[in-house]
Amino acid sequence: MNIPFASFEAMHSEIREELDNAYKSVLDSNYFIQGTQCKAFEEEFAAYCGAKYCIGVGTGLDALYLILKAMDIKTGDEVIVPSNTYIATALAVSYTGATPVFVEPHIETFNIAPELIEEKITDKTKAIIAVHLQGRPADMDAIWEIAKKYDLKVLEDAAQAHGTKYKGKRVGTLSDAAGFSFYPGKNLGALGDGGCVTTNNKEIADKVRALGNYGSDYKYHHIYQGTNSRLDELQCAFLRVKLKELDKWNDYRKKVAGRYLSEIKNPLISLPLGCDEEFDHIYHVFVIRCDRRDELEKYLDENGIGTVKHYPVPMHLQKAYESLGIKEGELPVAEEISRTVLSIPMYYGITDDEVSYVIENINAFK
């Protein structure tokens, strides 16, 4: 049996006709940037999240960068970032000229440990980015308690968390503003790059929209030195089709995760935390840990099971961030995670037999 790490086949085959019609609608409209599809998607996604505003942008990285710019984060400032996340979170900070300051996660949740944030705060700290990694929400109440104490802004990096909830509220509404990615592999993915910002703050919403449109509040009138980052009509049309299916797809992932959590019994394998009443989880990826990760990866590959390492080199040891001067061993939890994590197949449409095959092979690993 050959099981890919991810597949879009079942998802797209069910909505193929609607996707085709969405494409035809945009083509026939002869309107391809900031038209009716974009406006409709922004309204629909804002309503889905429970936010007042949604602004479509070019990528998830752009979403975070534009939020930080709208908050006037600049050179000389510092922004708290989890040490265990995709590099885009830190890059968004760097693009403003500010410095990312890494804080270790809880190894059980992979998310930032709130009790470690305060010791990294200085008079230069202006914001905290809470990443809902892998689809599990960060501990937002604890983060906000610290942010209010030091008068800091809070951002959500919700790139992997479309639809997940924290204490009954969807992510995207738990901070000053949130950035989402619609990269094709996300739980809500476009058929190309894309992203958005959600917020309940009109000032941030208006500024993000202007900054992403060449700094223009209306045509040929430029109030900021902005950039070009807009979610195009075609991707919005596709996303509108997919948004209607998102909860169903997320529930499917949860059922697959439930089997992994209850049936993987190998003592060599550490499993992630599941859902509970406060912390939902939509399993953008299902990540296990193993001290012999590379051996496990090879073994599963030989048995036709696709895997991915998220992420094999922590940010502080990447050449891109060697200027921060963080040496190996200074962020041991992030390094431990990078050394041991392996993501196993998780996607809408994976069959019961395929899930059983993955579980059987993991349990047989010695």
Side-chain angles (χ1 to χ4, degrees):
M1 188 177 290
N2 286 296
I3 304 171
F5 169 69
S7 171
F8 305 123
E9 186 174 350
M11 176 192 300
H12 289 163
S13 64
E14 289 183 2
I15 58 172
R16 177 63 182 266
E17 184 176 354
E18 290 180 83
L19 292 175
D20 286 342
N21 289 336
Y23 161 74
K24 292 173 185 176
S25 176
V26 173
L27 185 65
D28 291 344
S29 76
N30 289 306
Y31 208 118
F32 306 111
I33 300 290
Q34 293 187 320
T36 57
Q37 293 288 346
C38 184
K39 185 175 187 297
F41 173 72
E42 289 177 342
E43 291 174 351
E44 290 162 7
F45 192 68
Y48 175 81
C49 293
K52 290 182 180 179
Y53 309 102
C54 172
I55 306 94
V57 298
T59 67
L61 170 56
D62 285 355
L64 295 175
Y65 165 69
L66 291 170
I67 293 169
L68 291 165
K69 288 289 288 184
M71 292 176 171
D72 198 31
I73 305 298
K74 56 188 180 301
T75 301
D77 293 340
E78 294 177 351
V79 177
I80 299 293
V81 174
S83 62
N84 176 54
T85 183
Y86 186 53
I87 198 169
T89 314
L91 290 175
V93 177
S94 299
Y95 290 171
T96 68
T99 300
V101 176
F102 299 132
V103 172
E104 291 272 70
H106 287 142
I107 200 163
E108 298 86 2
T109 67
F110 301 100
N111 281 331
I112 194 167
E115 69 273 14
L116 301 180
I117 292 175
E118 196 164 2
E119 65 189 50
K120 294 293 186 78
I121 293 174
T122 72
D123 58 1
K124 297 179 181 179
T125 308
K126 296 297 187 291
I128 302 169
I129 301 183
V131 181
H132 307 307
L133 200 66
Q134 303 168 5
R136 178 186 174 87
D139 190 348
M140 296 305 297
D141 284 355
I143 290 168
W144 265 114
E145 185 177 347
I146 296 164
K148 289 175 180 177
K149 180 178 179 180
Y150 292 94
D151 193 25
L152 305 177
K153 299 292 187 182
V154 177
L155 294 71
E156 295 166 81
D157 181 341
Q160 300 182 4
H162 313 73
T164 199
K165 295 179 180 178
Y166 172 75
K167 297 186 177 181
K169 291 184 64 176
R170 291 199 196 275
V171 301
T173 63
L174 309 174
S175 63
D176 292 300
F180 287 85
S181 167
F182 300 127
Y183 179 78
K186 305 301 186 185
N187 290 39
L188 179 62
L191 303 188
D193 270 322
C196 79
V197 171
T198 57
T199 182
N200 290 322
N201 185 309
K202 186 177 188 301
E203 182 180 353
I204 290 176
D206 290 345
K207 194 167 182 180
V208 165
R209 189 177 298 281
L211 285 166
N213 188 32
Y214 298 99
S216 174
D217 55 348
Y218 60 90
K219 197 167 185 177
Y220 302 134
H221 183 259
H222 304 271
I223 54 178
Y224 310 113
Q225 294 180 8
T227 187
N228 176 18
S229 182
R230 302 174 296 201
L231 186 58
D232 69 68
E233 284 288 281
L234 189 57
Q235 298 306 337
C236 288
F238 292 147
L239 287 166
R240 292 184 68 200
V241 173
K242 288 189 165 189
L243 180 59
K244 292 181 291 184
E245 309 294 327
L246 179 57
D247 286 342
K248 180 181 77 172
W249 294 340
N250 283 345
D251 286 343
Y252 194 99
R253 287 173 179 262
K254 290 180 184 181
K255 289 177 182 177
V256 174
R259 287 200 61 195
Y260 284 154
L261 289 167
S262 64
E263 297 178 41
I264 294 175
K265 302 292 187 180
N266 192 326
L268 299 174
I269 305 300
S270 296
L271 297 171
L273 291 181
C275 302
D276 59 40
E277 291 183 0
E278 293 191 349
F279 292 87
D280 191 15
H281 204 321
I282 48 85
Y283 299 99
H284 168 59
V285 287
F286 191 94
V287 179
I288 60 178
R289 292 195 304 110
C290 179
D291 285 336
R292 293 161 49 207
R293 187 268 311 279
D294 293 346
E295 293 176 57
L296 176 62
E297 177 186 35
K298 183 174 184 292
Y299 162 80
L300 292 177
D301 179 66
E302 290 171 347
N303 284 278
I305 298 171
T307 60
V308 174
K309 292 177 288 215
H310 292 103
Y311 306 98
V313 181
M315 288 182 297
H316 65 283
L317 298 182
Q318 298 278 1
K319 184 174 177 59
Y321 280 108
E322 65 181 2
S323 62
L324 295 180
I326 304 173
K327 305 300 182 185
E328 186 172 356
E330 292 186 34
L331 295 172
V333 180
E335 292 171 24
E336 175 73 3
I337 289 171
S338 291
R339 186 183 66 80
T340 59
V341 288
L342 191 66
S343 299
I344 61 177
M346 171 58 72
Y347 53 90
Y348 177 76
I350 188 171
T351 67
D352 285 339
D353 287 345
E354 289 170 331
V355 173
S356 294
Y357 183 76
V358 174
I359 293 167
E360 289 165 7
N361 276 273
I362 290 176
N363 284 338
F365 176 70
K366 298 179 180 177

PDB file of all heavy atoms in Angstrom, residues 15 26 40 44 87 125 141 147 160 163 175 193 250 278 291 294 303 310-311 317 319 346 363:
ATOM      1  N   ILE A  15     -15.944  18.659  -5.135  1.00  0.00           N
ATOM      2  CA  ILE A  15     -16.370  20.037  -5.434  1.00  0.00           C
ATOM      3  C   ILE A  15     -15.891  20.486  -6.807  1.00  0.00           C
ATOM      4  O   ILE A  15     -15.880  21.684  -7.101  1.00  0.00           O
ATOM      5  CB  ILE A  15     -15.880  21.019  -4.349  1.00  0.00           C
ATOM      6  CG1 ILE A  15     -14.354  20.976  -4.210  1.00  0.00           C
ATOM      7  CG2 ILE A  15     -16.550  20.728  -3.015  1.00  0.00           C
ATOM      8  CD1 ILE A  15     -13.782  22.047  -3.296  1.00  0.00           C
ATOM      9  N   VAL A  26     -15.481  33.948 -12.813  1.00  0.00           N
ATOM     10  CA  VAL A  26     -14.460  34.995 -12.783  1.00  0.00           C
ATOM     11  C   VAL A  26     -14.010  35.345 -14.192  1.00  0.00           C
ATOM     12  O   VAL A  26     -13.874  36.524 -14.543  1.00  0.00           O
ATOM     13  CB  VAL A  26     -13.263  34.559 -11.909  1.00  0.00           C
ATOM     14  CG1 VAL A  26     -12.125  35.571 -12.017  1.00  0.00           C
ATOM     15  CG2 VAL A  26     -13.695  34.391 -10.464  1.00  0.00           C
ATOM     16  N   ALA A  40     -17.035  39.382  -1.383  1.00  0.00           N
ATOM     17  CA  ALA A  40     -17.907  38.356  -0.816  1.00  0.00           C
ATOM     18  C   ALA A  40     -17.127  37.406   0.080  1.00  0.00           C
ATOM     19  O   ALA A  40     -17.596  37.042   1.168  1.00  0.00           O
ATOM     20  CB  ALA A  40     -18.595  37.581  -1.939  1.00  0.00           C
ATOM     21  N   GLU A  44     -17.659  36.664   4.038  1.00  0.00           N
ATOM     22  CA  GLU A  44     -17.993  35.309   4.474  1.00  0.00           C
ATOM     23  C   GLU A  44     -16.962  34.760   5.461  1.00  0.00           C
ATOM     24  O   GLU A  44     -17.327  34.110   6.446  1.00  0.00           O
ATOM     25  CB  GLU A  44     -18.117  34.393   3.255  1.00  0.00           C
ATOM     26  CG  GLU A  44     -19.355  34.701   2.411  1.00  0.00           C
ATOM     27  CD  GLU A  44     -19.298  34.143   1.005  1.00  0.00           C
ATOM     28  OE1 GLU A  44     -18.339  33.382   0.696  1.00  0.00           O
ATOM     29  OE2 GLU A  44     -20.185  34.460   0.198  1.00  0.00           O
ATOM     30  N   ILE A  87       9.361  29.587   9.616  1.00  0.00           N
ATOM     31  CA  ILE A  87      10.207  30.788   9.595  1.00  0.00           C
ATOM     32  C   ILE A  87       9.448  32.041   9.169  1.00  0.00           C
ATOM     33  O   ILE A  87       9.867  33.168   9.482  1.00  0.00           O
ATOM     34  CB  ILE A  87      11.434  30.557   8.698  1.00  0.00           C
ATOM     35  CG1 ILE A  87      12.531  31.598   9.010  1.00  0.00           C
ATOM     36  CG2 ILE A  87      11.033  30.532   7.232  1.00  0.00           C
ATOM     37  CD1 ILE A  87      13.868  31.297   8.360  1.00  0.00           C
ATOM     38  N   THR A 125      10.283  45.793  23.589  1.00  0.00           N
ATOM     39  CA  THR A 125       9.247  44.844  23.172  1.00  0.00           C
ATOM     40  C   THR A 125       7.947  45.584  22.885  1.00  0.00           C
ATOM     41  O   THR A 125       7.474  46.379  23.694  1.00  0.00           O
ATOM     42  CB  THR A 125       9.006  43.786  24.266  1.00  0.00           C
ATOM     43  OG1 THR A 125      10.246  43.200  24.633  1.00  0.00           O
ATOM     44  CG2 THR A 125       8.069  42.707  23.756  1.00  0.00           C
ATOM     45  N   ASP A 141      -5.438  33.368  26.869  1.00  0.00           N
ATOM     46  CA  ASP A 141      -5.703  34.113  28.107  1.00  0.00           C
ATOM     47  C   ASP A 141      -4.406  34.409  28.850  1.00  0.00           C
ATOM     48  O   ASP A 141      -4.193  35.527  29.351  1.00  0.00           O
ATOM     49  CB  ASP A 141      -6.645  33.326  29.008  1.00  0.00           C
ATOM     50  CG  ASP A 141      -8.087  33.373  28.538  1.00  0.00           C
ATOM     51  OD1 ASP A 141      -8.370  34.088  27.562  1.00  0.00           O
ATOM     52  OD2 ASP A 141      -8.935  32.685  29.150  1.00  0.00           O
ATOM     53  N   ALA A 147       0.496  40.506  28.079  1.00  0.00           N
ATOM     54  CA  ALA A 147       0.452  41.636  27.150  1.00  0.00           C
ATOM     55  C   ALA A 147      -0.161  42.870  27.796  1.00  0.00           C
ATOM     56  O   ALA A 147       0.334  43.998  27.630  1.00  0.00           O
ATOM     57  CB  ALA A 147      -0.339  41.234  25.903  1.00  0.00           C
ATOM     58  N   GLN A 160      -2.129  27.886  10.280  1.00  0.00           N
ATOM     59  CA  GLN A 160      -2.386  26.447  10.302  1.00  0.00           C
ATOM     60  C   GLN A 160      -3.657  26.109  11.083  1.00  0.00           C
ATOM     61  O   GLN A 160      -3.855  24.952  11.446  1.00  0.00           O
ATOM     62  CB  GLN A 160      -1.195  25.717  10.934  1.00  0.00           C
ATOM     63  CG  GLN A 160       0.113  25.917  10.184  1.00  0.00           C
ATOM     64  CD  GLN A 160       1.274  25.153  10.792  1.00  0.00           C
ATOM     65  OE1 GLN A 160       1.120  24.402  11.744  1.00  0.00           O
ATOM     66  NE2 GLN A 160       2.457  25.340  10.226  1.00  0.00           N
ATOM     67  N   GLY A 163     -10.486  27.622  11.516  1.00  0.00           N
ATOM     68  CA  GLY A 163     -11.680  27.007  12.085  1.00  0.00           C
ATOM     69  C   GLY A 163     -11.530  26.469  13.487  1.00  0.00           C
ATOM     70  O   GLY A 163     -12.528  26.113  14.114  1.00  0.00           O
ATOM     71  N   SER A 175      -7.239  38.296  19.295  1.00  0.00           N
ATOM     72  CA  SER A 175      -6.085  39.189  19.402  1.00  0.00           C
ATOM     73  C   SER A 175      -6.421  40.520  18.760  1.00  0.00           C
ATOM     74  O   SER A 175      -7.547  40.746  18.308  1.00  0.00           O
ATOM     75  CB  SER A 175      -4.877  38.551  18.709  1.00  0.00           C
ATOM     76  OG  SER A 175      -5.154  38.391  17.322  1.00  0.00           O
ATOM     77  N   ASP A 193      -1.108  30.740  -4.013  1.00  0.00           N
ATOM     78  CA  ASP A 193      -0.841  31.454  -2.767  1.00  0.00           C
ATOM     79  C   ASP A 193      -1.989  32.409  -2.435  1.00  0.00           C
ATOM     80  O   ASP A 193      -2.708  32.883  -3.318  1.00  0.00           O
ATOM     81  CB  ASP A 193       0.463  32.254  -2.872  1.00  0.00           C
ATOM     82  CG  ASP A 193       1.668  31.439  -2.421  1.00  0.00           C
ATOM     83  OD1 ASP A 193       1.532  30.685  -1.447  1.00  0.00           O
ATOM     84  OD2 ASP A 193       2.729  31.558  -3.053  1.00  0.00           O
ATOM     85  N   ASN A 250     -12.567  19.523   8.520  1.00  0.00           N
ATOM     86  CA  ASN A 250     -11.898  19.536   9.824  1.00  0.00           C
ATOM     87  C   ASN A 250     -12.391  18.388  10.712  1.00  0.00           C
ATOM     88  O   ASN A 250     -11.599  17.755  11.414  1.00  0.00           O
ATOM     89  CB  ASN A 250     -12.127  20.872  10.538  1.00  0.00           C
ATOM     90  CG  ASN A 250     -11.250  21.987   9.991  1.00  0.00           C
ATOM     91  OD1 ASN A 250     -10.284  21.740   9.278  1.00  0.00           O
ATOM     92  ND2 ASN A 250     -11.578  23.218  10.326  1.00  0.00           N
ATOM     93  N   GLU A 278     -11.435  23.350  26.229  1.00  0.00           N
ATOM     94  CA  GLU A 278     -10.848  24.674  26.057  1.00  0.00           C
ATOM     95  C   GLU A 278     -10.016  24.772  24.778  1.00  0.00           C
ATOM     96  O   GLU A 278     -10.040  25.792  24.098  1.00  0.00           O
ATOM     97  CB  GLU A 278      -9.993  25.026  27.272  1.00  0.00           C
ATOM     98  CG  GLU A 278     -10.796  25.223  28.546  1.00  0.00           C
ATOM     99  CD  GLU A 278      -9.974  25.832  29.661  1.00  0.00           C
ATOM    100  OE1 GLU A 278      -8.740  25.907  29.535  1.00  0.00           O
ATOM    101  OE2 GLU A 278     -10.578  26.244  30.671  1.00  0.00           O
ATOM    102  N   ASP A 291      12.703   9.493  19.283  1.00  0.00           N
ATOM    103  CA  ASP A 291      14.136   9.743  19.420  1.00  0.00           C
ATOM    104  C   ASP A 291      14.922   9.189  18.238  1.00  0.00           C
ATOM    105  O   ASP A 291      16.015   9.684  17.936  1.00  0.00           O
ATOM    106  CB  ASP A 291      14.662   9.124  20.719  1.00  0.00           C
ATOM    107  CG  ASP A 291      14.266   9.933  21.950  1.00  0.00           C
ATOM    108  OD1 ASP A 291      14.016  11.148  21.781  1.00  0.00           O
ATOM    109  OD2 ASP A 291      14.193   9.360  23.043  1.00  0.00           O
ATOM    110  N   ASP A 294      14.808   9.665  12.339  1.00  0.00           N
ATOM    111  CA  ASP A 294      15.278   9.420  10.980  1.00  0.00           C
ATOM    112  C   ASP A 294      15.135   7.950  10.590  1.00  0.00           C
ATOM    113  O   ASP A 294      14.824   7.627   9.434  1.00  0.00           O
ATOM    114  CB  ASP A 294      16.726   9.882  10.821  1.00  0.00           C
ATOM    115  CG  ASP A 294      16.859  11.396  10.934  1.00  0.00           C
ATOM    116  OD1 ASP A 294      15.821  12.093  10.861  1.00  0.00           O
ATOM    117  OD2 ASP A 294      17.989  11.891  11.101  1.00  0.00           O
ATOM    118  N   ASN A 303       7.874   1.375   3.588  1.00  0.00           N
ATOM    119  CA  ASN A 303       6.575   0.714   3.627  1.00  0.00           C
ATOM    120  C   ASN A 303       5.481   1.523   2.934  1.00  0.00           C
ATOM    121  O   ASN A 303       4.286   1.254   3.120  1.00  0.00           O
ATOM    122  CB  ASN A 303       6.188   0.416   5.075  1.00  0.00           C
ATOM    123  CG  ASN A 303       6.952  -0.770   5.634  1.00  0.00           C
ATOM    124  OD1 ASN A 303       6.585  -1.915   5.411  1.00  0.00           O
ATOM    125  ND2 ASN A 303       8.033  -0.494   6.345  1.00  0.00           N
ATOM    126  N   HIS A 310       8.456  18.595  10.213  1.00  0.00           N
ATOM    127  CA  HIS A 310       8.078  19.986  10.477  1.00  0.00           C
ATOM    128  C   HIS A 310       8.655  20.430  11.839  1.00  0.00           C
ATOM    129  O   HIS A 310       8.005  20.255  12.843  1.00  0.00           O
ATOM    130  CB  HIS A 310       6.557  20.125  10.528  1.00  0.00           C
ATOM    131  CG  HIS A 310       5.833  19.934   9.254  1.00  0.00           C
ATOM    132  ND1 HIS A 310       5.148  18.780   8.942  1.00  0.00           N
ATOM    133  CD2 HIS A 310       5.678  20.761   8.179  1.00  0.00           C
ATOM    134  CE1 HIS A 310       4.586  18.907   7.755  1.00  0.00           C
ATOM    135  NE2 HIS A 310       4.889  20.104   7.268  1.00  0.00           N
ATOM    136  N   TYR A 311       9.795  21.017  11.933  1.00  0.00           N
ATOM    137  CA  TYR A 311      10.725  21.445  10.902  1.00  0.00           C
ATOM    138  C   TYR A 311      12.096  20.936  11.324  1.00  0.00           C
ATOM    139  O   TYR A 311      12.418  21.008  12.516  1.00  0.00           O
ATOM    140  CB  TYR A 311      10.693  22.973  10.769  1.00  0.00           C
ATOM    141  CG  TYR A 311       9.269  23.469  10.550  1.00  0.00           C
ATOM    142  CD1 TYR A 311       8.514  23.951  11.605  1.00  0.00           C
ATOM    143  CD2 TYR A 311       8.692  23.401   9.278  1.00  0.00           C
ATOM    144  CE1 TYR A 311       7.201  24.375  11.399  1.00  0.00           C
ATOM    145  CE2 TYR A 311       7.395  23.854   9.064  1.00  0.00           C
ATOM    146  CZ  TYR A 311       6.647  24.321  10.128  1.00  0.00           C
ATOM    147  OH  TYR A 311       5.354  24.724   9.917  1.00  0.00           O
ATOM    148  N   LEU A 317      18.896  28.327  14.364  1.00  0.00           N
ATOM    149  CA  LEU A 317      20.077  27.682  13.793  1.00  0.00           C
ATOM    150  C   LEU A 317      20.100  27.749  12.271  1.00  0.00           C
ATOM    151  O   LEU A 317      21.002  27.196  11.629  1.00  0.00           O
ATOM    152  CB  LEU A 317      20.148  26.216  14.255  1.00  0.00           C
ATOM    153  CG  LEU A 317      20.278  26.010  15.771  1.00  0.00           C
ATOM    154  CD1 LEU A 317      20.380  24.538  16.101  1.00  0.00           C
ATOM    155  CD2 LEU A 317      21.481  26.787  16.330  1.00  0.00           C
ATOM    156  N   LYS A 319      20.803  29.688   8.804  1.00  0.00           N
ATOM    157  CA  LYS A 319      21.785  30.715   8.401  1.00  0.00           C
ATOM    158  C   LYS A 319      21.129  32.097   8.327  1.00  0.00           C
ATOM    159  O   LYS A 319      21.763  33.107   8.629  1.00  0.00           O
ATOM    160  CB  LYS A 319      22.402  30.354   7.052  1.00  0.00           C
ATOM    161  CG  LYS A 319      23.499  31.311   6.609  1.00  0.00           C
ATOM    162  CD  LYS A 319      24.178  30.826   5.340  1.00  0.00           C
ATOM    163  CE  LYS A 319      25.226  31.819   4.848  1.00  0.00           C
ATOM    164  NZ  LYS A 319      26.280  32.058   5.843  1.00  0.00           N
ATOM    165  N   MET A 346      -2.213  12.860   7.017  1.00  0.00           N
ATOM    166  CA  MET A 346      -3.397  13.494   7.595  1.00  0.00           C
ATOM    167  C   MET A 346      -4.044  14.350   6.509  1.00  0.00           C
ATOM    168  O   MET A 346      -3.498  15.384   6.114  1.00  0.00           O
ATOM    169  CB  MET A 346      -3.014  14.361   8.797  1.00  0.00           C
ATOM    170  CG  MET A 346      -4.142  15.242   9.332  1.00  0.00           C
ATOM    171  SD  MET A 346      -5.613  14.346   9.856  1.00  0.00           S
ATOM    172  CE  MET A 346      -5.049  13.566  11.355  1.00  0.00           C
ATOM    173  N   ASN A 363       3.161   0.939  14.903  1.00  0.00           N
ATOM    174  CA  ASN A 363       3.203   0.047  16.055  1.00  0.00           C
ATOM    175  C   ASN A 363       4.236  -1.065  15.890  1.00  0.00           C
ATOM    176  O   ASN A 363       4.769  -1.587  16.889  1.00  0.00           O
ATOM    177  CB  ASN A 363       1.823  -0.543  16.332  1.00  0.00           C
ATOM    178  CG  ASN A 363       0.877   0.447  16.994  1.00  0.00           C
ATOM    179  OD1 ASN A 363       1.329   1.415  17.615  1.00  0.00           O
ATOM    180  ND2 ASN A 363      -0.418   0.203  16.875  1.00  0.00           N
TER     181      ASN A 363
END
